[in-house]
Amino acid sequence: MTLRSRWWRAMMPRIGAGIVLTALAVGVLAQERLTSPDLVVLCSNNVESCVAVVAEYEEMTGADVTVVRMPTTEALARIRVPKDVGEFDVWMGGPADAYTLAANEGLLAVPDIADSSNIPADLKDPDGRWYGIYGGILAFCVAADAQAPRTWEDLPEHDGVVIPNPLTSGTALTMLSVHYERLGSVDAAMAYMARLDDTVLTYTDSGTVPAHVVGSGRADVGVTFGPYCEREQLLGYDVTTVYPLDGTGFEVGAIAVLDESSARVEATRFVTFTISDTGQQIGAAAASQLPVSDRLDIHLTQELEDLDVPIFGRDMVAAGERRTDLITAWVRQVRHGAY
């Protein structure tokens, strides 16, 4: 068992409190928003992580919090819709490049956070509109009986590959950004994705799912963040995490108070708790992720430094700016078969 696995097992919190809704239930929530609950958290992370933090926050404060699970790209589209009454107060989880885009569009508030010094400067918005809370490094999750790809260029040679869908998943956008930087242009990245598309069994809505698909024996290789594959190992599945030798990217999962929130004070209190060392440990452990606080013994920056492969995507502002272009190119050149 690795050091991180021992830490995650020791930190695994009780999952319980909190109401979890899917996107299908949001319409009902919107109708009741004026009377309840105290806070609505839009969760684009693994739902266990959001619920674990919410459960601790509810117990600590007595607040009534509802969690709505929605993949990153879908969540961004939802908060872009103008509305008379805000549906959500806090957006929690999903890659920070989406938060950069939301901040530039005026969708995020600037909460009065007293102290975020535990978060490295490059893992939070300089204007205080979003904060990193967890991270993960993009990897291949490989079944025990499958030949492991060692590089991205090996991957299209494998049958039985499962990857997340760029139309819904922030993980997929991290993958597209890796190929953009690795290969040098949008067209080169899409040519690679078109080759990979020939071997893809399925595209998943969420970036957390490929690891479980591989673990349950339905695919040989999945593209996901390494911690999700290692969590499958903790659950007893025979899978291996492989970081591609020709370079990979990473996720900084973020949190923000939404500009549409009608509960700014409660939302700020929740964000303050979530970005604390305690909040980060609870959330990261529930989903086998890495906290970002450099005050902790194990954190994202350390893991990136220890990984002996090229790392792409360090400029999260640039990643946010090219997000729409990459999705559009993938739809046009891969999904609709231009190549």
Side-chain angles (χ1 to χ4, degrees), residues 18-27 29 39-52 54 65-76 78-79 87-88 90-95 99 134 164-165 167-172 204-210 224-225 228 251 287 289 323:
I19 299 171
V20 181
L21 302 177
T22 65
L24 294 176
V26 171
L29 172 66
L39 197 69
V40 181
V41 174
L42 178 59
C43 173
S44 295
N45 191 8
N46 190 306
V47 72
E48 289 87 353
S49 178
C50 295
V51 171
V54 164
V65 183
T66 292
V67 177
V68 178
R69 174 68 176 91
M70 204 177 289
T72 305
T73 301
E74 185 180 347
L76 180 58
R78 186 76 186 200
I79 64 175
E87 292 175 304
F88 311 109
V90 173
W91 189 15
M92 180 181 182
Y99 285 72
Y134 67 88
N165 187 339
L167 288 176
T168 58
S169 168
T171 306
T204 63
D205 286 343
S206 171
T208 66
V209 174
T224 187
F225 289 111
Y228 302 135
E251 171 187 34
Q289 295 165 333
R323 181 184 180 89

Side-chain angles (χ1 to χ4, degrees), residues 226-258:
Y228 302 135
C229 191
E230 294 180 21
R231 187 168 194 263
E232 294 298 309
Q233 291 175 331
L234 289 178
L235 294 173
Y237 294 103
D238 197 359
V239 294
T240 302
T241 305
V242 176
Y243 295 102
L245 296 176
D246 46 355
T248 192
F250 62 98
E251 171 187 34
V252 176
I255 191 168
V257 175
L258 292 168

Side-chain angles (χ1 to χ4, degrees), residues 91-160:
W91 189 15
M92 180 181 182
D97 60 277
Y99 285 72
T100 297
L101 198 56
N104 291 341
E105 295 177 18
L107 301 173
L108 306 183
V110 182
D112 184 15
I113 303 295
D115 182 19
S116 64
S117 58
N118 60 330
I119 303 175
D122 61 338
L123 304 183
K124 59 186 174 185
D125 179 55
D127 296 321
R129 295 169 295 182
W130 59 263
Y131 299 87
I133 51 174
Y134 67 88
I137 305 172
L138 198 65
F140 306 141
C141 191
V142 186
D145 58 353
Q147 181 178 0
R150 306 307 303 175
T151 68
W152 288 107
E153 293 304 319
D154 290 343
L155 194 58
E157 305 304 318
H158 284 69
D159 292 326

Side-chain angles (χ1 to χ4, degrees), residues 19 28 41 50 77 100 116 161 175 203-204 228 244 261 288 294 300 320:
I19 299 171
V28 175
V41 174
C50 295
T100 297
S116 64
V161 177
M175 177 179 63
Y203 290 90
T204 63
Y228 302 135
S261 172
S288 301
D294 56 13
L300 175 64

